[in-house]
Coordinates of all heavy atoms in Angstrom, one line a residue:
M107 N 23.1 -0.7 -14.5 CA 23.1 -1.4 -15.7 C 24.1 -2.5 -15.7 O 25.2 -2.4 -15.2 CB 23.4 -0.4 -16.8 CG 23.2 -0.9 -18.2 SD 21.5 -1.2 -18.5 CE 21.6 -2.2 -19.9
A108 N 23.6 -3.7 -16.2 CA 24.5 -4.9 -16.2 C 25.6 -4.7 -17.3 O 25.4 -4.1 -18.3 CB 23.6 -6.1 -16.5
H109 N 26.7 -5.4 -16.9 CA 27.9 -5.3 -17.8 C 28.2 -6.6 -18.5 O 29.2 -6.6 -19.2 CB 29.1 -4.8 -17.0 CG 29.0 -3.4 -16.5 ND1 29.0 -2.3 -17.3 CD2 28.8 -3.0 -15.2 CE1 28.8 -1.2 -16.5 NE2 28.7 -1.6 -15.3
S110 N 27.4 -7.6 -18.3 CA 27.7 -8.9 -19.0 C 26.5 -9.5 -19.5 O 25.4 -9.2 -19.0 CB 28.4 -9.8 -18.0 OG 27.5 -10.2 -17.0
N111 N 26.6 -10.4 -20.4 CA 25.4 -11.1 -20.9 C 24.7 -11.9 -19.9 O 23.5 -12.0 -19.8 CB 25.9 -12.1 -22.1 CG 26.3 -11.3 -23.3 OD1 25.9 -10.1 -23.5 ND2 27.1 -11.9 -24.1
Q112 N 25.5 -12.5 -19.0 CA 24.9 -13.3 -17.9 C 24.1 -12.4 -17.0 O 23.0 -12.8 -16.6 CB 26.0 -14.0 -17.1 CG 25.5 -14.8 -15.9 CD 26.6 -15.3 -15.0 OE1 27.8 -15.0 -15.2 NE2 26.2 -16.2 -14.1
A113 N 24.6 -11.3 -16.6 CA 23.8 -10.3 -15.8 C 22.6 -9.9 -16.5 O 21.5 -9.7 -15.8 CB 24.7 -9.2 -15.4
N114 N 22.6 -9.6 -17.8 CA 21.5 -9.2 -18.5 C 20.4 -10.3 -18.5 O 19.2 -10.0 -18.4 CB 21.8 -8.8 -20.0 CG 22.5 -7.4 -20.0 OD1 22.1 -6.5 -19.3 ND2 23.4 -7.3 -20.9
K115 N 20.9 -11.5 -18.7 CA 19.9 -12.7 -18.7 C 19.3 -12.8 -17.3 O 18.1 -13.1 -17.3 CB 20.7 -13.9 -19.1 CG 19.8 -15.2 -19.1 CD 20.6 -16.4 -19.6 CE 19.7 -17.6 -19.6 NZ 20.4 -18.8 -20.0
R116 N 20.0 -12.6 -16.3 CA 19.5 -12.8 -14.9 C 18.4 -11.7 -14.7 O 17.4 -11.9 -14.0 CB 20.6 -12.7 -13.9 CG 21.6 -13.8 -13.9 CD 21.0 -15.1 -13.5 NE 20.6 -15.1 -12.1 CZ 19.9 -16.1 -11.6 NH1 19.4 -17.1 -12.3 NH2 19.6 -16.0 -10.3
I117 N 18.6 -10.5 -15.2 CA 17.7 -9.4 -15.1 C 16.4 -9.8 -15.8 O 15.3 -9.6 -15.3 CB 18.2 -8.1 -15.7 CG1 19.3 -7.6 -14.7 CG2 17.1 -7.1 -15.8 CD1 20.1 -6.4 -15.3
R118 N 16.5 -10.4 -17.0 CA 15.3 -10.8 -17.8 C 14.6 -11.9 -17.1 O 13.3 -11.9 -17.0 CB 15.7 -11.3 -19.2 CG 16.2 -10.2 -20.1 CD 16.3 -10.6 -21.6 NE 17.1 -11.9 -21.7 CZ 18.4 -11.9 -22.0 NH1 19.1 -10.8 -22.1 NH2 19.0 -13.1 -22.1
Q119 N 15.3 -12.9 -16.5 CA 14.7 -14.0 -15.8 C 14.0 -13.5 -14.6 O 12.9 -13.9 -14.2 CB 15.7 -15.0 -15.4 CG 16.3 -15.8 -16.5 CD 17.4 -16.7 -16.1 OE1 18.1 -16.4 -15.1 NE2 17.6 -17.8 -16.8
G120 N 14.6 -12.6 -13.8 CA 14.0 -12.0 -12.6 C 12.7 -11.3 -12.9 O 11.8 -11.4 -12.1
E121 N 12.7 -10.6 -14.0 CA 11.5 -9.8 -14.3 C 10.4 -10.8 -14.7 O 9.2 -10.6 -14.3 CB 11.8 -8.9 -15.5 CG 10.6 -8.0 -15.9 CD 10.1 -7.1 -14.9 OE1 10.8 -6.8 -13.9 OE2 8.9 -6.6 -15.0
R122 N 10.7 -11.8 -15.4 CA 9.7 -12.8 -15.8 C 9.1 -13.5 -14.6 O 7.9 -13.7 -14.4 CB 10.3 -13.8 -16.7 CG 9.6 -14.0 -18.0 CD 10.1 -15.1 -19.0 NE 11.3 -15.8 -18.6 CZ 12.5 -15.6 -19.1 NH1 12.7 -14.7 -20.1 NH2 13.6 -16.3 -18.8
R123 N 10.0 -13.9 -13.7 CA 9.6 -14.5 -12.5 C 8.8 -13.6 -11.5 O 7.8 -14.0 -10.9 CB 10.8 -15.1 -11.7 CG 11.4 -16.3 -12.4 CD 12.6 -16.8 -11.7 NE 13.1 -17.9 -12.5 CZ 14.4 -18.2 -12.7 NH1 15.3 -17.4 -12.1 NH2 14.8 -19.2 -13.4
R124 N 9.1 -12.3 -11.5 CA 8.4 -11.4 -10.7 C 6.9 -11.3 -11.2 O 6.0 -11.3 -10.4 CB 9.1 -10.0 -10.7 CG 8.4 -9.0 -9.9 CD 9.0 -7.6 -10.1 NE 8.7 -7.0 -11.4 CZ 7.5 -6.4 -11.7 NH1 6.6 -6.3 -10.7 NH2 7.3 -5.9 -12.9
I125 N 6.8 -11.2 -12.5 CA 5.4 -11.1 -13.0 C 4.6 -12.4 -12.7 O 3.4 -12.3 -12.4 CB 5.5 -10.8 -14.5 CG1 6.0 -9.4 -14.7 CG2 4.1 -11.0 -15.2 CD1 6.4 -9.1 -16.2
Q126 N 5.2 -13.6 -12.9 CA 4.5 -14.8 -12.6 C 4.2 -14.9 -11.1 O 3.0 -15.3 -10.7 CB 5.4 -16.0 -12.9 CG 5.6 -16.2 -14.4 CD 6.6 -17.3 -14.7 OE1 7.4 -17.7 -13.9 NE2 6.7 -17.7 -16.0
N127 N 5.1 -14.5 -10.2 CA 4.8 -14.5 -8.8 C 3.7 -13.6 -8.4 O 2.9 -13.9 -7.5 CB 6.1 -14.2 -8.0 CG 7.1 -15.3 -8.1 OD1 6.8 -16.4 -8.5 ND2 8.4 -15.0 -7.8
K128 N 3.7 -12.4 -9.1 CA 2.7 -11.5 -8.8 C 1.3 -12.0 -9.1 O 0.3 -11.8 -8.3 CB 2.9 -10.2 -9.6 CG 2.0 -9.0 -9.3 CD 2.5 -7.9 -10.2 CE 1.6 -6.7 -10.0 NZ 1.9 -5.6 -10.8
G129 N 1.1 -12.8 -10.1 CA -0.1 -13.4 -10.5 C -0.5 -14.5 -9.5 O -1.7 -14.6 -9.1
I130 N 0.4 -15.3 -9.1 CA 0.2 -16.3 -8.1 C -0.3 -15.7 -6.8 O -1.3 -16.2 -6.2 CB 1.4 -17.2 -7.9 CG1 1.7 -18.0 -9.2 CG2 1.2 -18.2 -6.8 CD1 3.1 -18.6 -9.2
A131 N 0.4 -14.7 -6.3 CA 0.1 -14.1 -5.0 C -1.2 -13.4 -5.1 O -2.0 -13.4 -4.2 CB 1.2 -13.1 -4.7
S132 N -1.5 -12.7 -6.2 CA -2.8 -12.1 -6.4 C -4.0 -13.0 -6.3 O -5.0 -12.8 -5.7 CB -2.8 -11.3 -7.7 OG -4.1 -10.7 -7.9
R133 N -3.8 -14.1 -7.0 CA -4.9 -15.2 -7.1 C -5.1 -15.7 -5.7 O -6.2 -15.9 -5.2 CB -4.5 -16.3 -8.0 CG -5.6 -17.3 -8.2 CD -5.3 -18.3 -9.3 NE -5.3 -17.6 -10.6 CZ -4.2 -17.5 -11.4 NH1 -3.0 -18.0 -11.0 NH2 -4.2 -16.9 -12.5
M134 N -4.0 -16.0 -4.9 CA -4.1 -16.5 -3.6 C -4.8 -15.5 -2.7 O -5.7 -15.9 -1.9 CB -2.7 -16.8 -3.0 CG -2.7 -17.3 -1.6 SD -1.1 -17.1 -0.8 CE -1.0 -15.3 -0.8
R135 N -4.4 -14.3 -2.7 CA -5.1 -13.3 -1.9 C -6.6 -13.2 -2.2 O -7.4 -13.0 -1.3 CB -4.4 -11.9 -2.0 CG -3.1 -11.8 -1.3 CD -2.6 -10.4 -1.2 NE -2.4 -9.8 -2.5 CZ -1.2 -9.8 -3.2 NH1 -0.2 -10.4 -2.6 NH2 -1.1 -9.3 -4.4
S136 N -6.9 -13.2 -3.5 CA -8.4 -13.1 -3.8 C -9.1 -14.3 -3.3 O -10.2 -14.2 -2.8 CB -8.5 -13.1 -5.4 OG -7.9 -12.0 -5.9
D137 N -8.6 -15.5 -3.4 CA -9.3 -16.7 -2.9 C -9.4 -16.7 -1.4 O -10.5 -17.0 -0.9 CB -8.5 -18.0 -3.3 CG -8.6 -18.3 -4.8 OD1 -9.4 -17.7 -5.5 OD2 -7.7 -19.1 -5.3
V138 N -8.4 -16.3 -0.7 CA -8.5 -16.2 0.7 C -9.5 -15.1 1.2 O -10.3 -15.4 2.0 CB -7.1 -15.8 1.3 CG1 -7.2 -15.5 2.8 CG2 -6.1 -17.0 1.2
K139 N -9.5 -14.0 0.5 CA -10.4 -12.9 0.8 C -11.9 -13.3 0.6 O -12.8 -13.0 1.3 CB -10.1 -11.7 0.0 CG -10.9 -10.4 0.4 CD -10.4 -9.2 -0.3 CE -11.2 -8.0 0.1 NZ -10.7 -6.8 -0.6
R140 N -12.1 -14.1 -0.5 CA -13.4 -14.5 -0.9 C -14.0 -15.4 0.2 O -15.1 -15.3 0.7 CB -13.4 -15.3 -2.2 CG -14.7 -15.5 -2.8 CD -14.6 -16.1 -4.2 NE -14.0 -15.2 -5.1 CZ -12.9 -15.4 -5.8 NH1 -12.3 -16.6 -5.7 NH2 -12.3 -14.5 -6.6
V141 N -13.2 -16.4 0.7 CA -13.6 -17.3 1.8 C -13.9 -16.5 3.1 O -14.9 -16.7 3.7 CB -12.6 -18.4 2.0 CG1 -13.0 -19.3 3.2 CG2 -12.5 -19.3 0.7
L142 N -12.9 -15.6 3.4 CA -13.1 -14.9 4.7 C -14.4 -14.0 4.6 O -15.1 -13.9 5.6 CB -11.9 -14.0 5.0 CG -10.6 -14.8 5.3 CD1 -9.4 -13.9 5.5 CD2 -10.8 -15.6 6.6
T143 N -14.6 -13.4 3.5 CA -15.8 -12.5 3.4 C -17.1 -13.4 3.5 O -18.0 -12.9 4.2 CB -15.8 -11.8 2.0 OG1 -14.6 -11.1 1.9 CG2 -17.0 -10.9 1.9
L144 N -17.1 -14.5 2.9 CA -18.3 -15.4 3.1 C -18.5 -15.9 4.5 O -19.6 -15.9 5.0 CB -18.2 -16.6 2.1 CG -18.4 -16.3 0.6 CD1 -18.0 -17.6 -0.2 CD2 -19.8 -15.9 0.4
A145 N -17.4 -16.2 5.2 CA -17.4 -16.6 6.5 C -17.9 -15.5 7.5 O -18.7 -15.8 8.4 CB -16.1 -17.1 7.0
E146 N -17.5 -14.3 7.2 CA -17.9 -13.2 8.1 C -19.4 -12.9 7.8 O -20.1 -12.4 8.8 CB -17.1 -11.9 7.8 CG -15.7 -12.0 8.3 CD -14.8 -10.8 7.8 OE1 -15.4 -9.9 7.2 OE2 -13.6 -10.9 8.1
S147 N -19.9 -13.1 6.6 CA -21.3 -12.8 6.4 C -22.2 -13.9 6.8 O -23.4 -13.8 6.7 CB -21.5 -12.5 4.9 OG -21.2 -13.6 4.1
G148 N -21.6 -15.0 7.3 CA -22.4 -16.1 7.8 C -22.8 -17.2 6.8 O -23.7 -18.0 7.1
E149 N -22.3 -17.2 5.6 CA -22.7 -18.1 4.6 C -21.7 -19.3 4.6 O -20.8 -19.4 3.8 CB -22.6 -17.5 3.2 CG -23.6 -16.3 3.1 CD -23.5 -15.6 1.8 OE1 -23.1 -16.2 0.8 OE2 -23.9 -14.4 1.7
K150 N -22.0 -20.2 5.6 CA -21.0 -21.3 5.9 C -20.9 -22.3 4.7 O -19.8 -22.7 4.4 CB -21.5 -22.0 7.1 CG -20.5 -23.1 7.6 CD -20.8 -23.6 8.9 CE -19.7 -24.7 9.3 NZ -19.5 -24.7 10.7
E151 N -22.0 -22.7 4.1 CA -22.0 -23.7 3.1 C -21.2 -23.2 1.8 O -20.4 -24.0 1.3 CB -23.3 -24.2 2.6 CG -24.3 -23.1 2.2 CD -25.0 -22.4 3.4 OE1 -25.0 -23.0 4.5 OE2 -25.6 -21.4 3.2
Q152 N -21.3 -21.9 1.5 CA -20.6 -21.4 0.3 C -19.1 -21.3 0.7 O -18.2 -21.6 -0.1 CB -21.1 -20.1 -0.1 CG -22.4 -20.1 -0.8 CD -22.9 -18.8 -1.3 OE1 -22.5 -17.8 -0.7 NE2 -23.7 -18.8 -2.3
A153 N -18.8 -20.9 1.9 CA -17.4 -20.8 2.4 C -16.7 -22.1 2.4 O -15.6 -22.3 2.0 CB -17.4 -20.1 3.8
E154 N -17.5 -23.2 2.8 CA -16.9 -24.5 2.8 C -16.7 -25.0 1.4 O -15.7 -25.8 1.2 CB -17.9 -25.5 3.6 CG -17.9 -25.3 5.1 CD -18.9 -26.2 5.8 OE1 -19.8 -26.6 5.1 OE2 -18.7 -26.4 7.0
Q155 N -17.5 -24.6 0.5 CA -17.3 -25.1 -0.9 C -16.0 -24.4 -1.5 O -15.3 -25.0 -2.3 CB -18.5 -24.7 -1.8 CG -19.7 -25.6 -1.5 CD -20.9 -25.1 -2.3 OE1 -20.9 -24.1 -3.0 NE2 -21.9 -26.0 -2.3
L156 N -15.7 -23.2 -1.1 CA -14.6 -22.5 -1.7 C -13.3 -22.7 -0.9 O -12.2 -22.3 -1.4 CB -14.9 -21.0 -1.8 CG -15.9 -20.5 -2.8 CD1 -16.2 -19.0 -2.7 CD2 -15.5 -20.9 -4.2
L157 N -13.4 -23.3 0.3 CA -12.3 -23.5 1.2 C -11.2 -24.3 0.5 O -10.0 -24.0 0.5 CB -12.7 -24.1 2.5 CG -11.6 -24.3 3.5 CD1 -11.0 -23.0 4.0 CD2 -12.2 -25.0 4.7
P158 N -11.5 -25.5 -0.1 CA -10.5 -26.3 -0.7 C -9.7 -25.6 -1.8 O -8.4 -25.7 -1.9 CB -11.2 -27.5 -1.3 CG -12.5 -27.6 -0.5 CD -12.8 -26.2 -0.2
S159 N -10.4 -24.8 -2.6 CA -9.6 -24.0 -3.7 C -8.7 -23.0 -3.1 O -7.6 -22.7 -3.6 CB -10.6 -23.4 -4.7 OG -11.4 -22.4 -4.1
A160 N -9.2 -22.3 -2.0 CA -8.3 -21.3 -1.3 C -7.1 -22.0 -0.7 O -6.0 -21.4 -0.9 CB -9.1 -20.6 -0.3
I161 N -7.3 -23.1 -0.1 CA -6.1 -23.8 0.5 C -5.2 -24.3 -0.6 O -4.0 -24.2 -0.5 CB -6.6 -25.0 1.4 CG1 -7.3 -24.4 2.6 CG2 -5.5 -25.9 1.7 CD1 -7.9 -25.4 3.6
R162 N -5.7 -24.7 -1.7 CA -4.9 -25.2 -2.8 C -4.1 -24.0 -3.4 O -2.9 -24.2 -3.7 CB -5.8 -25.7 -3.9 CG -5.1 -26.5 -5.0 CD -6.0 -27.2 -6.0 NE -7.1 -27.9 -5.3 CZ -8.4 -27.6 -5.5 NH1 -8.8 -26.7 -6.3 NH2 -9.3 -28.3 -4.9
S163 N -4.7 -22.8 -3.5 CA -3.9 -21.7 -4.0 C -2.8 -21.2 -3.0 O -1.7 -20.8 -3.4 CB -4.8 -20.5 -4.4 OG -5.5 -20.0 -3.2
V164 N -3.1 -21.4 -1.7 CA -2.1 -21.1 -0.7 C -0.9 -22.1 -0.8 O 0.3 -21.7 -0.8 CB -2.7 -21.1 0.7 CG1 -1.6 -21.0 1.8 CG2 -3.6 -19.9 0.9
D165 N -1.3 -23.3 -1.0 CA -0.2 -24.4 -1.1 C 0.6 -24.2 -2.4 O 1.8 -24.4 -2.4 CB -0.8 -25.8 -1.1 CG -1.3 -26.2 0.2 OD1 -0.7 -25.7 1.2 OD2 -2.2 -27.1 0.3
K166 N 0.0 -23.8 -3.5 CA 0.7 -23.5 -4.7 C 1.7 -22.3 -4.6 O 2.8 -22.4 -5.0 CB -0.2 -23.2 -5.9 CG -0.9 -24.4 -6.5 CD -1.7 -24.1 -7.7 CE -2.4 -25.3 -8.2 NZ -3.2 -25.0 -9.4
A167 N 1.2 -21.3 -3.9 CA 2.1 -20.2 -3.6 C 3.3 -20.6 -2.8 O 4.4 -20.1 -3.0 CB 1.3 -19.0 -3.0
M168 N 3.0 -21.4 -1.8 CA 4.1 -21.9 -0.9 C 5.1 -22.8 -1.7 O 6.3 -22.6 -1.6 CB 3.6 -22.7 0.2 CG 4.6 -23.2 1.2 SD 4.0 -24.4 2.3 CE 3.5 -25.7 1.3
K169 N 4.6 -23.7 -2.6 CA 5.4 -24.6 -3.3 C 6.3 -23.8 -4.3 O 7.4 -24.2 -4.5 CB 4.5 -25.5 -4.1 CG 5.2 -26.6 -4.9 CD 4.3 -27.5 -5.7 CE 3.7 -26.7 -6.9 NZ 2.9 -27.6 -7.7
R170 N 5.9 -22.7 -4.8 CA 6.7 -21.9 -5.8 C 7.5 -20.8 -5.1 O 8.0 -20.0 -5.7 CB 5.8 -21.3 -6.8 CG 5.1 -22.4 -7.6 CD 4.1 -21.8 -8.6 NE 3.4 -22.9 -9.3 CZ 2.9 -22.8 -10.5 NH1 2.9 -21.6 -11.1 NH2 2.2 -23.8 -11.0
H171 N 7.5 -20.9 -3.7 CA 8.3 -20.0 -2.9 C 7.9 -18.5 -3.1 O 8.7 -17.6 -2.9 CB 9.8 -20.1 -3.2 CG 10.3 -21.5 -3.0 ND1 10.4 -22.1 -1.7 CD2 10.7 -22.5 -3.9 CE1 10.9 -23.3 -1.9 NE2 11.0 -23.6 -3.1
V172 N 6.6 -18.3 -3.3 CA 6.1 -16.9 -3.3 C 5.8 -16.5 -1.9 O 6.1 -15.3 -1.6 CB 4.8 -16.9 -4.2 CG1 4.1 -15.5 -4.1 CG2 5.0 -17.2 -5.6
I173 N 5.4 -17.4 -1.0 CA 5.2 -17.1 0.4 C 6.0 -18.1 1.2 O 6.3 -19.2 0.7 CB 3.8 -17.1 0.8 CG1 3.1 -18.4 0.6 CG2 3.0 -15.9 0.2 CD1 1.7 -18.5 1.1
H174 N 6.3 -17.8 2.4 CA 7.0 -18.7 3.3 C 6.1 -19.8 3.8 O 4.9 -19.6 3.8 CB 7.6 -17.9 4.5 CG 8.6 -18.7 5.3 ND1 8.2 -19.5 6.4 CD2 9.9 -18.8 5.2 CE1 9.3 -20.0 6.9 NE2 10.4 -19.6 6.2
R175 N 6.6 -21.0 4.1 CA 5.8 -22.1 4.5 C 5.0 -21.8 5.8 O 3.9 -22.2 6.0 CB 6.6 -23.4 4.7 CG 7.7 -23.3 5.7 CD 8.5 -24.5 5.8 NE 9.5 -24.3 6.9 CZ 10.3 -25.2 7.3 NH1 10.3 -26.4 6.8 NH2 11.2 -24.9 8.2
N176 N 5.6 -21.0 6.7 CA 4.9 -20.6 8.0 C 3.8 -19.7 7.7 O 2.7 -19.7 8.3 CB 5.9 -20.0 9.0 CG 6.9 -21.0 9.5 OD1 6.7 -22.2 9.3 ND2 7.9 -20.5 10.2
T177 N 4.0 -18.8 6.7 CA 2.9 -17.9 6.3 C 1.8 -18.7 5.7 O 0.6 -18.4 6.0 CB 3.4 -16.9 5.3 OG1 4.5 -16.2 5.8 CG2 2.4 -15.9 4.9
A178 N 2.1 -19.7 4.9 CA 1.0 -20.5 4.3 C 0.3 -21.3 5.4 O -1.0 -21.3 5.4 CB 1.7 -21.5 3.3
A179 N 1.0 -21.8 6.4 CA 0.3 -22.5 7.5 C -0.6 -21.6 8.3 O -1.7 -21.9 8.7 CB 1.4 -23.1 8.4
R180 N -0.1 -20.3 8.5 CA -0.9 -19.4 9.2 C -2.2 -19.0 8.4 O -3.3 -18.9 9.0 CB -0.1 -18.1 9.5 CG -0.7 -17.1 10.4 CD 0.2 -16.0 10.8 NE 0.6 -15.2 9.6 CZ 1.8 -15.1 9.1 NH1 2.8 -15.7 9.7 NH2 2.0 -14.4 8.0
K181 N -2.1 -18.8 7.1 CA -3.2 -18.5 6.3 C -4.2 -19.6 6.3 O -5.4 -19.4 6.4 CB -2.8 -18.1 4.9 CG -2.2 -16.8 4.8 CD -2.0 -16.4 3.3 CE -1.3 -15.1 3.2 NZ -2.0 -14.0 3.7
K182 N -3.8 -20.9 6.2 CA -4.7 -22.0 6.1 C -5.4 -22.1 7.5 O -6.6 -22.4 7.5 CB -3.9 -23.3 5.8 CG -3.4 -23.3 4.4 CD -3.0 -24.7 3.9 CE -1.7 -25.1 4.5 NZ -1.2 -26.4 4.0
S183 N -4.7 -21.9 8.6 CA -5.3 -22.0 9.9 C -6.3 -20.9 10.1 O -7.4 -21.1 10.6 CB -4.2 -21.8 11.0 OG -4.7 -21.8 12.2
L184 N -6.0 -19.7 9.6 CA -7.0 -18.6 9.6 C -8.2 -18.9 8.9 O -9.4 -18.7 9.4 CB -6.3 -17.3 9.1 CG -7.2 -16.1 8.9 CD1 -7.4 -15.5 10.3 CD2 -6.6 -15.1 7.9
L185 N -8.1 -19.5 7.7 CA -9.2 -19.9 6.9 C -10.1 -21.0 7.6 O -11.3 -20.8 7.7 CB -8.8 -20.4 5.5 CG -8.3 -19.4 4.5 CD1 -7.6 -20.1 3.4 CD2 -9.3 -18.5 4.1
M186 N -9.4 -22.0 8.1 CA -10.2 -23.1 8.8 C -10.9 -22.5 10.0 O -12.1 -22.9 10.3 CB -9.2 -24.2 9.2 CG -8.6 -24.9 8.0 SD -9.8 -25.7 7.0 CE -10.4 -27.0 8.1
R187 N -10.2 -21.7 10.8 CA -10.9 -21.1 12.0 C -12.1 -20.3 11.6 O -13.1 -20.3 12.3 CB -9.9 -20.3 12.8 CG -9.0 -21.2 13.7 CD -8.2 -20.3 14.7 NE -7.0 -19.8 13.9 CZ -6.7 -18.5 13.9 NH1 -7.4 -17.6 14.6 NH2 -5.7 -18.0 13.2
A188 N -11.9 -19.5 10.6 CA -13.0 -18.6 10.2 C -14.2 -19.4 9.7 O -15.4 -19.1 10.1 CB -12.5 -17.7 9.0
V189 N -14.0 -20.4 8.9 CA -15.1 -21.3 8.4 C -15.8 -22.0 9.6 O -17.0 -22.1 9.6 CB -14.7 -22.2 7.3 CG1 -15.7 -23.1 6.9 CG2 -14.3 -21.3 6.1
N190 N -15.0 -22.6 10.4 CA -15.5 -23.4 11.5 C -16.2 -22.6 12.6 O -17.1 -23.1 13.3 CB -14.4 -24.2 12.2 CG -13.9 -25.4 11.3 OD1 -14.7 -25.9 10.5 ND2 -12.7 -25.8 11.5
S191 N -15.9 -21.3 12.7 CA -16.5 -20.5 13.7 C -17.9 -20.0 13.3 O -18.6 -19.4 14.1 CB -15.6 -19.3 14.1 OG -15.5 -18.4 13.0
V192 N -18.2 -20.1 12.0 CA -19.5 -19.6 11.5 C -20.6 -20.5 12.1 O -20.6 -21.7 12.0 CB -19.6 -19.7 10.0 CG1 -20.9 -19.2 9.5 CG2 -18.5 -18.7 9.4
G193 N -21.6 -19.8 12.7 CA -22.7 -20.6 13.3 C -22.4 -21.3 14.6 O -23.2 -22.0 15.1
A194 N -21.2 -21.1 15.1 CA -20.9 -21.8 16.4 C -21.2 -20.9 17.6 O -21.5 -19.8 17.5 CB -19.4 -22.1 16.4

């Protein structure tokens, strides 16, 4: 339990940020999974349409420090390789 007003405020702020970060990360994972599922099923045109939004959500998560920049680069690379390998 916190013993000062400052510590109580930091607890409140941390909880608020945790909930926001959880939403950002969840949306990012959903977008990535949607594109990978389409790529695995061979639906290249649909995967290509959803690819920019998935990359955008990964970039937003990186910008807000929800994920590390190297993790974001790895996820974007994974997405691009998956979409480009469909039909190849």
Side-chain angles (χ1 to χ4, degrees):
M107 189 65 198
H109 293 291
S110 67
N111 289 337
Q112 179 185 7
N114 283 323
K115 182 178 178 180
R116 296 294 292 169
I117 289 170
R118 290 192 308 269
Q119 287 175 333
E121 180 63 17
R122 235 184 355 255
R123 289 179 181 143
R124 183 186 70 82
I125 292 169
Q126 289 172 349
N127 290 344
K128 188 176 176 184
I130 293 166
S132 176
R133 184 172 297 116
M134 177 199 65
R135 282 192 301 267
S136 297
D137 290 346
V138 169
K139 186 175 181 181
R140 193 174 297 124
V141 171
L142 291 177
T143 303
L144 287 170
E146 288 174 6
S147 64
E149 300 177 23
K150 185 170 181 150
E151 53 278 346
Q152 287 181 336
E154 285 176 339
Q155 288 176 351
L156 291 177
L157 182 64
S159 65
I161 289 177
R162 195 173 311 117
S163 65
V164 170
D165 284 337
K166 281 184 181 182
M168 179 193 64
K169 182 179 75 176
R170 297 177 186 203
H171 302 289
V172 175
I173 59 173
H174 193 270
R175 62 182 180 175
N176 291 351
T177 304
R180 189 174 63 244
K181 284 189 183 297
K182 291 193 292 187
S183 175
L184 174 77
L185 288 169
M186 294 299 292
R187 278 187 284 129
V189 172
N190 288 334
S191 69
V192 175

